Amino acid sequence: MRSLWHVWQEAISPEVCDQIQAMPNVPLKEGRVGINQEKTSLDNNIRKSDISGFPYNSDEAIALNRLVEPFITMANRENFGFRLNNFYEFQYTEYNERNEGFYGWHQDIQWLLDSESQRKLSVTIQLSDDDYEGGDFEFHKDLAQPSNIRRRGTVIVFPSFFYHRVTPVTKGIRKALVGWYEGECFA
């Protein structure tokens, strides 16, 4: 790996950020944690966020993939060199001051998932303006930290096995689109 992560500052226009925020056509639900889609639970000690998912073959996910895939391709080519086969899923997420929304230390990879593929690259797109407090995206303390990633439209791509978190939001709302790209399981 040449770099631990790849960042594009303000790469997505405000208009496209608005369109993404308008995509969820169902009420947001509480974010869950778990080892796979069938084995999840609400655990407010690990995560407090509201989400809407865009499953793999939905029209929204296909449109989001057209937007995100060039960033994944470039980051993977320049930094990671993983064998990827497709996107897994996209998720719209809000962290709100009303419940001090956060997501504790976690990995996006699902090590215990019984599948031929697993998440290899994660992507986060900052959808909200930097008018909230808290809500910082951080990698584990042993890794270098990216800077200036709170600007609206900023894209960050990183390996799904890196531990990361979002600190509690104490004022306002942090909005983001997250997604995952898969490849054959790490050996």
Side-chain angles (χ1 to χ4, degrees):
M1 268 190 289
R2 290 183 177 174
S3 178
L4 301 178
W5 36 261
H6 201 114
V7 173
W8 292 266
Q9 301 288 333
E10 302 174 86
I12 307 295
S13 72
E15 295 78 22
V16 172
C17 289
D18 289 342
Q19 291 170 4
I20 294 169
Q21 289 180 71
M23 280 183 162
N25 57 8
V26 296
L28 300 179
K29 61 184 180 183
E30 285 186 82
R32 302 173 73 84
V33 296
I35 60 171
N36 63 34
Q37 295 288 10
E38 291 77 41
K39 296 181 180 179
T40 64
S41 65
L42 292 174
D43 189 336
N44 289 328
N45 294 313
I46 297 173
R47 181 182 194 178
K48 287 183 190 174
S49 63
D50 298 312
I51 65 168
S52 181
F54 304 109
Y56 174 74
N57 56 356
S58 68
D59 291 341
E60 296 89 353
I62 292 167
L64 290 168
N65 183 55
R66 279 195 298 271
L67 174 71
V68 173
E69 189 174 40
F71 297 103
I72 293 292
T73 300
M74 184 182 302
N76 193 46
R77 184 183 319 121
E78 292 182 8
N79 296 299
F80 311 118
F82 296 150
R83 287 188 212 170
L84 302 176
N85 52 29
N86 214 333
F87 69 94
Y88 174 73
E89 179 179 41
F90 293 101
Q91 185 181 94
Y92 172 79
T93 305
E94 289 185 358
Y95 301 92
N96 198 307
E97 72 176 285
R98 75 176 146 65
N99 61 356
E100 291 193 353
F102 75 99
Y103 201 156
W105 292 115
H106 68 283
Q107 298 170 299
D108 291 339
I109 196 167
Q110 297 170 316
W111 293 109
L112 301 177
L113 187 65
D114 185 22
S115 174
E116 294 298 316
S117 292
Q118 67 187 173
R119 295 175 181 173
K120 288 196 167 180
L121 288 178
S122 298
V123 59
T124 298
I125 299 174
Q126 177 72 17
L127 296 175
S128 51
D129 291 315
D130 185 15
D131 57 358
Y132 58 91
E133 293 177 11
D136 293 315
F137 176 95
E138 299 176 341
F139 288 120
H140 194 269
K141 64 181 180 178
D142 295 334
L143 298 176
Q145 301 298 317
S147 59
N148 299 320
I149 58 172
R150 289 175 65 115
R151 293 183 181 143
R152 189 172 197 210
T154 295
V155 178
I156 182 169
V157 176
F158 58 95
S160 298
F161 55 77
F162 282 178
Y163 277 96
H164 58 285
R165 71 177 179 179
V166 174
T167 63
V169 171
T170 57
K171 182 179 177 187
I173 302 174
R174 178 185 188 265
K175 300 174 184 178
L177 178 74
V178 296
W180 305 277
Y181 282 73
E182 291 185 321
E184 67 182 54
C185 292
F186 290 110

